[in-house]
Amino acid sequence: MTRPNPGYRDLKDSYLFYRISQKVAAYRDSHPGVRLYRLGIGDVSLPLCPAVTDALRAAVDDQGDKARFHGYMPECGAPFLRHAVAEHYRSRGTAVEDGEVFISSGASDELGDILDLFDRSNSAVVIEPSYPAYIDANVIAGRKIIRLASGEENGFLPCPDENAVADIIYICSPSNPTGAVFGRELLSRWVDHANRHGSVILFDAAYEAFIGDPDIPRSIFEIEGAKTCAIEICSLSKTAGFTGTRLGYTVIPRELERDGMSFNEMWIRNRTTKTNGVSYIIQRGGEAVFTPEGQRQIRENIEVYKNNARTIMKALDGAGITYFGGTNSPYVWMKCPASAGGDSWRFFDRLLNGIQVIGTPGAGFGSCGEGFFRLSSFGDPDETAVAAERLGALLRE
Ligand code: PLP
């Protein structure tokens, strides 16, 4: 008899966004016509920039022209896009070869698929509060998960812990949900730890474009020694508004080897087996992101989100509320006020019912997220301004 993967039995219900949508739907039913203000969204609100849409249109025309038509794309990515991404790293002084870049259809797909490179007996350490996919992907694979709690005391940036050694280490910087960013020194400690124990770091850099501080690494490969212990997973979703268009990239250094096996070569083998590549049209759109004009235009959008974050932080500052993130990150991770009893769902209800603002309860990102609340800067600026003003007023009461 077929035996289903028992990992699915061990998965916890992903009730965070489901429960939020239930509560919002119930509120709408009992308050028809009342406007709600979203500070909870993880999706972008601005469209693709003109450099990208022009490139997409031109690529559609290519596909309709016999002389310029493209069939299957290379499984690991079109050479023009692998080159554009590698050049982007090199322009910032980070040595990455074209052949170390793999084009993906987004970081989510990649975070799941990349686990094919690791033996099932490998354990994984996940820093909590965490992006839920790290835990779920490893539960499905039946791996042992070590949860490394972080909190206010370390600014949600824990040091490597000799009591929490694992084969796979997840680091997300800037972090979703806490907005915390790993500095050079702390990241060096994690790289040394991984090299010492033979672990591999899966570095999720989905929000790297929000780092404005030149002293904070945007890539783990800015850290000496990272090429022998890290894989970097990136996305154009938040960088360039590709959430619905789908495109990402992953960097696997040639130096990354364990047991005489090259992770770069294994990934080539994996991709040539499991995918026929990302659409030509979308890859041309992605290429446009890395042109000078594309970079200028995506920066304008990122600035809009950064301004939203500033608006939110100003409201919290005015109310004397402790928070993390917001500066080099699209997320602001605020401490629930004492009046909510440190209960992030209670705070959620208060915001929804009292000021019609929707955020995300920290409890949904692991138990040490309880007592905190995630606010997102990806919303519309006018909506964000109203929501922040209402939030500030409520917190000052
Ligand atoms: N990693 C983190 C930390 C995220 O927050 C997200 C999306 O919200 C992703 C990965 C997935 O990004 P993508 O849209 O490229 O699948």
Side-chain angles (χ1 to χ4, degrees):
M1 192 180 74
T2 303
R3 286 177 54 211
N5 179 347
Y8 287 88
R9 250 189 221 116
D10 301 330
L11 275 179
K12 291 232 168 62
D13 282 346
S14 101
Y15 67 85
L16 174 64
F17 292 103
Y18 176 71
R19 193 168 163 198
I20 290 174
S21 64
Q22 296 280 89
K23 281 177 178 276
V24 170
Y27 184 88
R28 281 193 203 281
D29 283 349
S30 52
H31 301 81
V34 174
R35 177 147 186 211
L36 296 176
Y37 296 86
R38 292 166 310 152
L39 284 184
I41 58 166
D43 202 346
V44 290
S45 55
L46 291 170
L48 296 170
C49 63
V52 170
T53 50
D54 287 349
L56 290 171
R57 269 189 220 99
V60 169
D61 289 342
D62 287 347
Q63 292 300 72
D65 183 308
K66 193 163 189 303
R68 291 180 287 148
F69 168 78
H70 289 263
Y72 286 127
M73 297 306 290
E75 296 88 345
C76 298
F80 61 77
L81 185 53
R82 298 179 86 181
H83 180 69
V85 172
E87 272 293 303
H88 184 63
Y89 276 96
R90 294 192 285 260
S91 71
R92 301 200 316 250
T94 307
V96 168
E97 292 172 26
D98 296 9
E100 294 177 318
V101 175
F102 294 84
I103 304 305
S104 75
S105 50
S108 276
D109 312 43
E110 206 76 340
L111 282 163
D113 293 351
I114 205 85
L115 293 177
D116 275 2
L117 294 176
F118 301 90
D119 190 90
R120 279 187 183 241
S121 67
N122 281 173
S123 54
V125 70
V126 176
I127 296 169
E128 285 197 325
S130 85
Y131 182 56
Y134 309 150
I135 302 263
D136 289 352
N138 282 288
V139 170
I140 290 173
R143 287 209 175 78
K144 180 181 167 202
I145 298 167
I146 301 168
R147 294 163 194 261
L148 183 60
S150 68
E152 209 179 336
E153 67 290 350
N154 53 23
F156 294 95
L157 295 167
C159 295
D161 182 341
E162 290 305 318
N163 296 313
V165 175
D167 306 296
I168 305 167
I169 298 169
Y170 284 88
I171 297 181
C172 181
S173 180
S175 157
N176 178 7
T178 69
V181 279
F182 283 73
R184 220 165 279 281
E185 198 201 318
L186 182 55
L187 215 43
S188 295
R189 288 176 69 177
W190 277 101
V191 164
D192 291 346
H193 171 89
N195 276 323
R196 202 161 1 98
H197 292 284
S199 318
V200 171
I201 297 174
L202 294 182
F203 190 74
D204 185 340
Y207 299 99
E208 57 82 22
F210 288 79
I211 297 175
D213 183 340
D215 292 333
I216 295 175
R218 285 175 61 178
S219 162
I220 195 161
F221 300 118
E222 291 177 36
I223 306 296
E224 207 183 316
K227 283 210 152 188
T228 52
C229 70
I231 291 174
E232 179 156 297
I233 296 176
C234 297
S235 165
L236 291 188
S237 283
K238 310 300 162 65
T239 302
F242 273 64
T243 50
T245 307
R246 310 304 303 145
L247 195 63
Y249 52 93
T250 298
V251 177
I252 308 184
R254 293 201 201 279
E255 293 94 315
L256 183 61
E257 285 183 1
R258 294 288 179 272
D259 237 356
M261 293 174 82
S262 154
F263 280 71
N264 183 293
E265 282 169 17
M266 284 193 283
W267 196 235
I268 294 172
R269 190 67 186 82
N270 181 291
R271 295 293 82 185
T272 50
T273 302
K274 290 201 167 181
T275 163
N276 268 327
V278 177
S279 140
Y280 166 75
I281 297 166
I282 304 301
Q283 293 196 68
R284 279 292 184 203
E287 183 190 28
V289 169
F290 298 99
T291 60
E293 190 52 17
Q295 285 292 301
R296 194 190 60 71
Q297 292 175 2
I298 63 158
R299 284 274 134 222
E300 277 178 15
N301 286 2
I302 289 171
E303 233 359 85
V304 171
Y305 299 136
K306 281 178 157 278
N307 259 328
N308 283 346
R310 281 191 276 272
T311 304
I312 296 168
M313 290 192 289
K314 207 167 148 201
L316 298 179
D317 285 335
I321 295 286
T322 301
Y323 60 86
F324 297 84
T327 309
N328 290 294
S329 156
Y331 296 117
V332 180
W333 181 245
M334 65 166 284
K335 198 168 175 182
C336 297
S339 56
D343 181 328
S344 57
W345 279 108
R346 203 164 127 196
F347 189 58
F348 175 91
D349 290 337
R350 225 169 106 191
L351 293 198
L352 175 61
N353 295 308
I355 57 170
Q356 294 73 50
V357 169
I358 306 164
T360 312
F365 301 99
S367 56
C368 58
E370 184 52 297
F372 285 83
F373 202 75
R374 192 191 75 173
L375 301 169
S376 153
S377 67
F378 285 120
D380 167 77
D382 293 337
E383 198 176 319
T384 303
V386 176
E389 200 194 310
R390 290 182 174 202
L391 178 64
L394 177 124
L395 292 168
R396 284 194 305 273
E397 264 171 24

